[in-house]
Amino acid sequence: MRQMEVLRRYLLIVRKLKSQPYVSSGEMIGYVQKEMALRGDANGVTLRTIQRDINDIKELFNMEIAFQKGKGYYIEEEYLDTYGQYENLLLNFDL
């Protein structure tokens, strides 16, 4: 079950970043916590969790995510999802 929670967080983070240009740390934490709770995952989400997840997302999806002080997290440049990894994962989850 833990692995499913981690994948859900990854997908929620990417979805949020694709929906708006900049997302503050607090906004990201609140969004992920709320969405995870709606799906029955009651574990807390901290700033460190978000940072770890973003580092993992960079490696797994080859997606450049950066942080700009005063603005927040953003996708630095659109990544090439040549194998459809992100879209395939979305199809398998209720997101």
Side-chain angles (χ1 to χ4, degrees):
M1 185 63 157
R2 167 103 172 97
Q3 292 172 338
M4 293 292 282
E5 290 175 19
V6 172
L7 283 175
R8 279 192 185 109
R9 283 198 320 265
Y10 293 170
L11 295 171
L12 288 167
I13 289 168
V14 171
R15 172 188 268 179
K16 185 67 172 172
L17 290 171
K18 284 181 163 275
S19 73
Q20 67 187 77
Y22 292 95
V23 181
S24 71
S25 299
E27 185 179 356
M28 183 67 79
I29 291 167
Y31 172 76
V32 172
Q33 281 180 333
K34 179 182 138 217
E35 293 296 322
M36 293 294 285
L38 289 173
R39 290 161 177 76
D41 298 324
N43 293 333
V45 177
T46 65
L47 176 59
R48 185 65 189 123
T49 302
I50 297 294
Q51 290 170 335
R52 247 186 256 115
D53 288 349
I54 286 174
N55 285 332
D56 291 344
I57 290 166
K58 288 177 182 179
E59 289 181 30
L60 290 171
F61 298 118
N62 196 29
M63 183 181 293
E64 283 302 315
I65 299 172
F67 183 83
Q68 185 173 349
K69 191 174 180 177
K71 289 189 174 185
Y73 291 101
Y74 64 99
I75 297 175
E76 198 167 69
E77 57 185 60
E78 194 62 34
Y79 71 108
L80 295 174
D81 187 14
T82 53
Y83 300 109
Q85 296 168 326
Y86 175 71
E87 295 301 325
N88 285 337
L89 281 173
L90 282 181
L91 291 173
N92 292 307
F93 289 93
D94 179 28
L95 293 176

